[in-house]
Amino acid sequence: MASGCAGAVGVGFTAVPFVSSFQPSERARAAGAAVEVDIGALKPGEKLTVEWRGKPVWIIKRTPEQLAALPKLDGQLADPKSLRNPADLTPEYARNEHRSIKPEILVAVGICSHLGCSPSDKFQPGAQPSLPDDWAGGFLCPCHGSTFDMAGRVFKNKPAPDNLEVPPHMYLSDTRLLIGEDKKA
């Protein structure tokens, strides 16, 4: 009887660390955690980049001119209403012209949907190398030339098949943004 009890205790001491090794590590839990960002100091035309789940997430405060240009581009875009792969790329609250909760703030994952490069900022309108003469501002992927407008929507006839991803997010206040959760959205 004593040997059986000692054996059971030994099995328990051995099993607990083994079973707990199946739990995700602290680092793995942190990698999927939501990220809180203060956007109070962000000025119109500026971009802030944060990391969420190992990806760059852009937070851009668009100018009134950038917002006014968005509807004029619909005919040149591959998916202007963000209807392609909506469950994976665009939460329901961002399936609008601005692809955002608040029109002036864009929150998007800064990874091209073609091969995973990070597009460059090309916010300045007008003719520029590798861009059309009537460029309204947006992003240019340096790898294969995909272009995106200021809402992260991809232009037609480009290698990128989809718009930039809009991650789940919500506002905790006017100046606090939570990326990775959208329970209140």
PDB file of all heavy atoms in Angstrom, residues 103-132:
ATOM      1  N   PRO A 103     -13.336  57.867 -39.832  1.00  0.00           N
ATOM      2  CA  PRO A 103     -12.821  58.138 -41.177  1.00  0.00           C
ATOM      3  C   PRO A 103     -11.380  58.649 -41.223  1.00  0.00           C
ATOM      4  O   PRO A 103     -10.615  58.253 -42.088  1.00  0.00           O
ATOM      5  CB  PRO A 103     -13.789  59.187 -41.732  1.00  0.00           C
ATOM      6  CG  PRO A 103     -15.039  58.976 -40.967  1.00  0.00           C
ATOM      7  CD  PRO A 103     -14.615  58.516 -39.597  1.00  0.00           C
ATOM      8  N   GLU A 104     -10.993  59.491 -40.287  1.00  0.00           N
ATOM      9  CA  GLU A 104      -9.659  60.074 -40.361  1.00  0.00           C
ATOM     10  C   GLU A 104      -8.530  59.132 -39.929  1.00  0.00           C
ATOM     11  O   GLU A 104      -7.363  59.372 -40.224  1.00  0.00           O
ATOM     12  CB  GLU A 104      -9.592  61.380 -39.553  1.00  0.00           C
ATOM     13  CG  GLU A 104      -9.689  61.221 -38.054  1.00  0.00           C
ATOM     14  CD  GLU A 104     -11.111  61.085 -37.509  1.00  0.00           C
ATOM     15  OE1 GLU A 104     -12.076  60.969 -38.297  1.00  0.00           O
ATOM     16  OE2 GLU A 104     -11.259  61.081 -36.281  1.00  0.00           O
ATOM     17  N   ILE A 105      -8.849  58.022 -39.254  1.00  0.00           N
ATOM     18  CA  ILE A 105      -7.815  57.107 -38.763  1.00  0.00           C
ATOM     19  C   ILE A 105      -7.887  55.775 -39.506  1.00  0.00           C
ATOM     20  O   ILE A 105      -8.888  55.077 -39.456  1.00  0.00           O
ATOM     21  CB  ILE A 105      -7.968  56.830 -37.247  1.00  0.00           C
ATOM     22  CG1 ILE A 105      -7.952  58.117 -36.442  1.00  0.00           C
ATOM     23  CG2 ILE A 105      -6.895  55.860 -36.772  1.00  0.00           C
ATOM     24  CD1 ILE A 105      -6.622  58.811 -36.358  1.00  0.00           C
ATOM     25  N   LEU A 106      -6.792  55.431 -40.192  1.00  0.00           N
ATOM     26  CA  LEU A 106      -6.671  54.123 -40.840  1.00  0.00           C
ATOM     27  C   LEU A 106      -5.788  53.244 -39.972  1.00  0.00           C
ATOM     28  O   LEU A 106      -4.712  53.663 -39.544  1.00  0.00           O
ATOM     29  CB  LEU A 106      -6.032  54.251 -42.231  1.00  0.00           C
ATOM     30  CG  LEU A 106      -5.681  52.915 -42.913  1.00  0.00           C
ATOM     31  CD1 LEU A 106      -6.944  52.110 -43.241  1.00  0.00           C
ATOM     32  CD2 LEU A 106      -4.859  53.150 -44.162  1.00  0.00           C
ATOM     33  N   VAL A 107      -6.247  52.026 -39.715  1.00  0.00           N
ATOM     34  CA  VAL A 107      -5.461  51.020 -39.014  1.00  0.00           C
ATOM     35  C   VAL A 107      -5.345  49.847 -39.977  1.00  0.00           C
ATOM     36  O   VAL A 107      -6.355  49.252 -40.362  1.00  0.00           O
ATOM     37  CB  VAL A 107      -6.141  50.570 -37.696  1.00  0.00           C
ATOM     38  CG1 VAL A 107      -5.315  49.515 -36.992  1.00  0.00           C
ATOM     39  CG2 VAL A 107      -6.390  51.765 -36.791  1.00  0.00           C
ATOM     40  N   ALA A 108      -4.121  49.537 -40.407  1.00  0.00           N
ATOM     41  CA  ALA A 108      -3.920  48.473 -41.395  1.00  0.00           C
ATOM     42  C   ALA A 108      -2.608  47.751 -41.134  1.00  0.00           C
ATOM     43  O   ALA A 108      -1.633  48.346 -40.657  1.00  0.00           O
ATOM     44  CB  ALA A 108      -3.911  49.053 -42.808  1.00  0.00           C
ATOM     45  N   VAL A 109      -2.586  46.467 -41.470  1.00  0.00           N
ATOM     46  CA  VAL A 109      -1.357  45.692 -41.386  1.00  0.00           C
ATOM     47  C   VAL A 109      -0.502  46.074 -42.591  1.00  0.00           C
ATOM     48  O   VAL A 109      -0.959  46.000 -43.730  1.00  0.00           O
ATOM     49  CB  VAL A 109      -1.652  44.173 -41.370  1.00  0.00           C
ATOM     50  CG1 VAL A 109      -0.358  43.369 -41.405  1.00  0.00           C
ATOM     51  CG2 VAL A 109      -2.475  43.806 -40.139  1.00  0.00           C
ATOM     52  N   GLY A 110       0.725  46.486 -42.340  1.00  0.00           N
ATOM     53  CA  GLY A 110       1.610  46.981 -43.392  1.00  0.00           C
ATOM     54  C   GLY A 110       2.361  45.897 -44.128  1.00  0.00           C
ATOM     55  O   GLY A 110       3.579  45.966 -44.262  1.00  0.00           O
ATOM     56  N   ILE A 111       1.616  44.890 -44.616  1.00  0.00           N
ATOM     57  CA  ILE A 111       2.219  43.789 -45.375  1.00  0.00           C
ATOM     58  C   ILE A 111       1.428  43.602 -46.661  1.00  0.00           C
ATOM     59  O   ILE A 111       0.215  43.390 -46.626  1.00  0.00           O
ATOM     60  CB  ILE A 111       2.240  42.484 -44.558  1.00  0.00           C
ATOM     61  CG1 ILE A 111       3.097  42.670 -43.301  1.00  0.00           C
ATOM     62  CG2 ILE A 111       2.763  41.332 -45.400  1.00  0.00           C
ATOM     63  CD1 ILE A 111       3.107  41.475 -42.375  1.00  0.00           C
ATOM     64  N   CYS A 112       2.129  43.650 -47.791  1.00  0.00           N
ATOM     65  CA  CYS A 112       1.497  43.477 -49.099  1.00  0.00           C
ATOM     66  C   CYS A 112       0.892  42.084 -49.211  1.00  0.00           C
ATOM     67  O   CYS A 112       1.501  41.088 -48.797  1.00  0.00           O
ATOM     68  CB  CYS A 112       2.532  43.715 -50.196  1.00  0.00           C
ATOM     69  SG  CYS A 112       1.865  43.537 -51.870  1.00  0.00           S
ATOM     70  N   SER A 113      -0.287  41.999 -49.794  1.00  0.00           N
ATOM     71  CA  SER A 113      -0.987  40.720 -49.942  1.00  0.00           C
ATOM     72  C   SER A 113      -0.417  39.867 -51.069  1.00  0.00           C
ATOM     73  O   SER A 113      -0.871  38.747 -51.283  1.00  0.00           O
ATOM     74  CB  SER A 113      -2.485  40.970 -50.163  1.00  0.00           C
ATOM     75  OG  SER A 113      -2.689  41.767 -51.310  1.00  0.00           O
ATOM     76  N   HIS A 114       0.596  40.352 -51.784  1.00  0.00           N
ATOM     77  CA  HIS A 114       1.200  39.582 -52.860  1.00  0.00           C
ATOM     78  C   HIS A 114       2.218  38.585 -52.307  1.00  0.00           C
ATOM     79  O   HIS A 114       1.956  37.396 -52.263  1.00  0.00           O
ATOM     80  CB  HIS A 114       1.834  40.515 -53.898  1.00  0.00           C
ATOM     81  CG  HIS A 114       2.492  39.816 -55.033  1.00  0.00           C
ATOM     82  ND1 HIS A 114       3.755  40.152 -55.467  1.00  0.00           N
ATOM     83  CD2 HIS A 114       2.090  38.801 -55.817  1.00  0.00           C
ATOM     84  CE1 HIS A 114       4.088  39.361 -56.480  1.00  0.00           C
ATOM     85  NE2 HIS A 114       3.088  38.539 -56.709  1.00  0.00           N
ATOM     86  N   LEU A 115       3.360  39.070 -51.849  1.00  0.00           N
ATOM     87  CA  LEU A 115       4.398  38.170 -51.337  1.00  0.00           C
ATOM     88  C   LEU A 115       4.917  38.564 -49.960  1.00  0.00           C
ATOM     89  O   LEU A 115       5.963  38.088 -49.531  1.00  0.00           O
ATOM     90  CB  LEU A 115       5.567  38.079 -52.321  1.00  0.00           C
ATOM     91  CG  LEU A 115       5.247  37.369 -53.641  1.00  0.00           C
ATOM     92  CD1 LEU A 115       6.443  37.417 -54.568  1.00  0.00           C
ATOM     93  CD2 LEU A 115       4.833  35.924 -53.393  1.00  0.00           C
ATOM     94  N   GLY A 116       4.222  39.455 -49.277  1.00  0.00           N
ATOM     95  CA  GLY A 116       4.584  39.764 -47.905  1.00  0.00           C
ATOM     96  C   GLY A 116       5.612  40.852 -47.699  1.00  0.00           C
ATOM     97  O   GLY A 116       6.153  40.997 -46.610  1.00  0.00           O
ATOM     98  N   CYS A 117       5.891  41.655 -48.710  1.00  0.00           N
ATOM     99  CA  CYS A 117       6.802  42.795 -48.543  1.00  0.00           C
ATOM    100  C   CYS A 117       6.059  43.901 -47.795  1.00  0.00           C
ATOM    101  O   CYS A 117       4.844  43.878 -47.691  1.00  0.00           O
ATOM    102  CB  CYS A 117       7.250  43.329 -49.907  1.00  0.00           C
ATOM    103  SG  CYS A 117       8.186  42.144 -50.876  1.00  0.00           S
ATOM    104  N   SER A 118       6.791  44.880 -47.319  1.00  0.00           N
ATOM    105  CA  SER A 118       6.168  46.013 -46.646  1.00  0.00           C
ATOM    106  C   SER A 118       6.159  47.215 -47.585  1.00  0.00           C
ATOM    107  O   SER A 118       7.222  47.713 -47.962  1.00  0.00           O
ATOM    108  CB  SER A 118       6.913  46.357 -45.361  1.00  0.00           C
ATOM    109  OG  SER A 118       6.196  47.328 -44.640  1.00  0.00           O
ATOM    110  N   PRO A 119       4.984  47.668 -47.998  1.00  0.00           N
ATOM    111  CA  PRO A 119       4.906  48.824 -48.892  1.00  0.00           C
ATOM    112  C   PRO A 119       5.498  50.089 -48.274  1.00  0.00           C
ATOM    113  O   PRO A 119       5.529  50.245 -47.059  1.00  0.00           O
ATOM    114  CB  PRO A 119       3.407  48.987 -49.139  1.00  0.00           C
ATOM    115  CG  PRO A 119       2.834  47.635 -48.879  1.00  0.00           C
ATOM    116  CD  PRO A 119       3.666  47.083 -47.752  1.00  0.00           C
ATOM    117  N   SER A 120       5.947  50.990 -49.140  1.00  0.00           N
ATOM    118  CA  SER A 120       6.517  52.271 -48.723  1.00  0.00           C
ATOM    119  C   SER A 120       5.443  53.345 -48.763  1.00  0.00           C
ATOM    120  O   SER A 120       4.526  53.298 -49.582  1.00  0.00           O
ATOM    121  CB  SER A 120       7.636  52.684 -49.679  1.00  0.00           C
ATOM    122  OG  SER A 120       8.618  51.695 -49.744  1.00  0.00           O
ATOM    123  N   ASP A 121       5.602  54.335 -47.890  1.00  0.00           N
ATOM    124  CA  ASP A 121       4.685  55.480 -47.884  1.00  0.00           C
ATOM    125  C   ASP A 121       4.934  56.317 -49.122  1.00  0.00           C
ATOM    126  O   ASP A 121       6.067  56.670 -49.422  1.00  0.00           O
ATOM    127  CB  ASP A 121       4.946  56.376 -46.669  1.00  0.00           C
ATOM    128  CG  ASP A 121       4.848  55.636 -45.358  1.00  0.00           C
ATOM    129  OD1 ASP A 121       4.341  54.514 -45.347  1.00  0.00           O
ATOM    130  OD2 ASP A 121       5.295  56.200 -44.341  1.00  0.00           O
ATOM    131  N   LYS A 122       3.878  56.650 -49.812  1.00  0.00           N
ATOM    132  CA  LYS A 122       3.918  57.585 -50.938  1.00  0.00           C
ATOM    133  C   LYS A 122       2.733  58.521 -50.779  1.00  0.00           C
ATOM    134  O   LYS A 122       1.827  58.569 -51.595  1.00  0.00           O
ATOM    135  CB  LYS A 122       3.856  56.827 -52.277  1.00  0.00           C
ATOM    136  CG  LYS A 122       5.021  55.906 -52.524  1.00  0.00           C
ATOM    137  CD  LYS A 122       6.301  56.692 -52.701  1.00  0.00           C
ATOM    138  CE  LYS A 122       7.473  55.755 -52.971  1.00  0.00           C
ATOM    139  NZ  LYS A 122       8.728  56.469 -53.122  1.00  0.00           N
ATOM    140  N   PHE A 123       2.725  59.257 -49.653  1.00  0.00           N
ATOM    141  CA  PHE A 123       1.592  60.110 -49.301  1.00  0.00           C
ATOM    142  C   PHE A 123       1.480  61.342 -50.185  1.00  0.00           C
ATOM    143  O   PHE A 123       0.405  61.885 -50.368  1.00  0.00           O
ATOM    144  CB  PHE A 123       1.685  60.545 -47.844  1.00  0.00           C
ATOM    145  CG  PHE A 123       1.580  59.421 -46.840  1.00  0.00           C
ATOM    146  CD1 PHE A 123       1.921  59.628 -45.523  1.00  0.00           C
ATOM    147  CD2 PHE A 123       1.139  58.160 -47.195  1.00  0.00           C
ATOM    148  CE1 PHE A 123       1.813  58.613 -44.583  1.00  0.00           C
ATOM    149  CE2 PHE A 123       1.039  57.130 -46.269  1.00  0.00           C
ATOM    150  CZ  PHE A 123       1.378  57.366 -44.956  1.00  0.00           C
ATOM    151  N   GLN A 124       2.606  61.792 -50.735  1.00  0.00           N
ATOM    152  CA  GLN A 124       2.617  63.006 -51.551  1.00  0.00           C
ATOM    153  C   GLN A 124       1.887  62.763 -52.874  1.00  0.00           C
ATOM    154  O   GLN A 124       2.258  61.871 -53.635  1.00  0.00           O
ATOM    155  CB  GLN A 124       4.067  63.422 -51.821  1.00  0.00           C
ATOM    156  CG  GLN A 124       4.214  64.726 -52.580  1.00  0.00           C
ATOM    157  CD  GLN A 124       3.725  65.918 -51.773  1.00  0.00           C
ATOM    158  OE1 GLN A 124       3.925  65.988 -50.579  1.00  0.00           O
ATOM    159  NE2 GLN A 124       3.065  66.839 -52.440  1.00  0.00           N
ATOM    160  N   PRO A 125       0.842  63.538 -53.184  1.00  0.00           N
ATOM    161  CA  PRO A 125       0.168  63.361 -54.476  1.00  0.00           C
ATOM    162  C   PRO A 125       1.022  63.895 -55.625  1.00  0.00           C
ATOM    163  O   PRO A 125       1.937  64.687 -55.423  1.00  0.00           O
ATOM    164  CB  PRO A 125      -1.119  64.166 -54.330  1.00  0.00           C
ATOM    165  CG  PRO A 125      -0.944  65.044 -53.159  1.00  0.00           C
ATOM    166  CD  PRO A 125       0.187  64.524 -52.338  1.00  0.00           C
ATOM    167  N   GLY A 126       0.687  63.424 -56.835  1.00  0.00           N
ATOM    168  CA  GLY A 126       1.386  63.896 -58.034  1.00  0.00           C
ATOM    169  C   GLY A 126       2.344  62.858 -58.595  1.00  0.00           C
ATOM    170  O   GLY A 126       2.554  61.800 -58.018  1.00  0.00           O
ATOM    171  N   ALA A 127       2.904  63.185 -59.753  1.00  0.00           N
ATOM    172  CA  ALA A 127       3.798  62.267 -60.464  1.00  0.00           C
ATOM    173  C   ALA A 127       5.060  61.997 -59.645  1.00  0.00           C
ATOM    174  O   ALA A 127       5.642  62.906 -59.061  1.00  0.00           O
ATOM    175  CB  ALA A 127       4.166  62.864 -61.814  1.00  0.00           C
ATOM    176  N   GLN A 128       5.437  60.704 -59.604  1.00  0.00           N
ATOM    177  CA  GLN A 128       6.644  60.255 -58.912  1.00  0.00           C
ATOM    178  C   GLN A 128       7.142  59.005 -59.623  1.00  0.00           C
ATOM    179  O   GLN A 128       6.371  58.337 -60.323  1.00  0.00           O
ATOM    180  CB  GLN A 128       6.332  59.927 -57.447  1.00  0.00           C
ATOM    181  CG  GLN A 128       5.813  61.097 -56.639  1.00  0.00           C
ATOM    182  CD  GLN A 128       5.269  60.650 -55.290  1.00  0.00           C
ATOM    183  OE1 GLN A 128       5.934  59.945 -54.555  1.00  0.00           O
ATOM    184  NE2 GLN A 128       4.047  61.061 -54.989  1.00  0.00           N
ATOM    185  N   PRO A 129       8.412  58.643 -59.454  1.00  0.00           N
ATOM    186  CA  PRO A 129       8.901  57.412 -60.081  1.00  0.00           C
ATOM    187  C   PRO A 129       8.066  56.199 -59.657  1.00  0.00           C
ATOM    188  O   PRO A 129       7.697  56.065 -58.496  1.00  0.00           O
ATOM    189  CB  PRO A 129      10.335  57.297 -59.560  1.00  0.00           C
ATOM    190  CG  PRO A 129      10.719  58.688 -59.186  1.00  0.00           C
ATOM    191  CD  PRO A 129       9.456  59.354 -58.735  1.00  0.00           C
ATOM    192  N   SER A 130       7.744  55.347 -60.619  1.00  0.00           N
ATOM    193  CA  SER A 130       6.961  54.120 -60.424  1.00  0.00           C
ATOM    194  C   SER A 130       5.496  54.363 -60.086  1.00  0.00           C
ATOM    195  O   SER A 130       4.785  53.438 -59.706  1.00  0.00           O
ATOM    196  CB  SER A 130       7.581  53.231 -59.340  1.00  0.00           C
ATOM    197  OG  SER A 130       8.903  52.912 -59.650  1.00  0.00           O
ATOM    198  N   LEU A 131       5.028  55.603 -60.198  1.00  0.00           N
ATOM    199  CA  LEU A 131       3.636  55.918 -59.889  1.00  0.00           C
ATOM    200  C   LEU A 131       3.014  56.700 -61.033  1.00  0.00           C
ATOM    201  O   LEU A 131       3.727  57.388 -61.771  1.00  0.00           O
ATOM    202  CB  LEU A 131       3.555  56.745 -58.598  1.00  0.00           C
ATOM    203  CG  LEU A 131       3.988  56.027 -57.325  1.00  0.00           C
ATOM    204  CD1 LEU A 131       4.107  57.009 -56.168  1.00  0.00           C
ATOM    205  CD2 LEU A 131       3.029  54.908 -56.979  1.00  0.00           C
ATOM    206  N   PRO A 132       1.685  56.637 -61.180  1.00  0.00           N
ATOM    207  CA  PRO A 132       1.032  57.392 -62.263  1.00  0.00           C
ATOM    208  C   PRO A 132       1.096  58.903 -62.014  1.00  0.00           C
ATOM    209  O   PRO A 132       1.268  59.355 -60.886  1.00  0.00           O
ATOM    210  CB  PRO A 132      -0.408  56.878 -62.233  1.00  0.00           C
ATOM    211  CG  PRO A 132      -0.605  56.318 -60.870  1.00  0.00           C
ATOM    212  CD  PRO A 132       0.742  55.841 -60.397  1.00  0.00           C
TER     213      PRO A 132
END
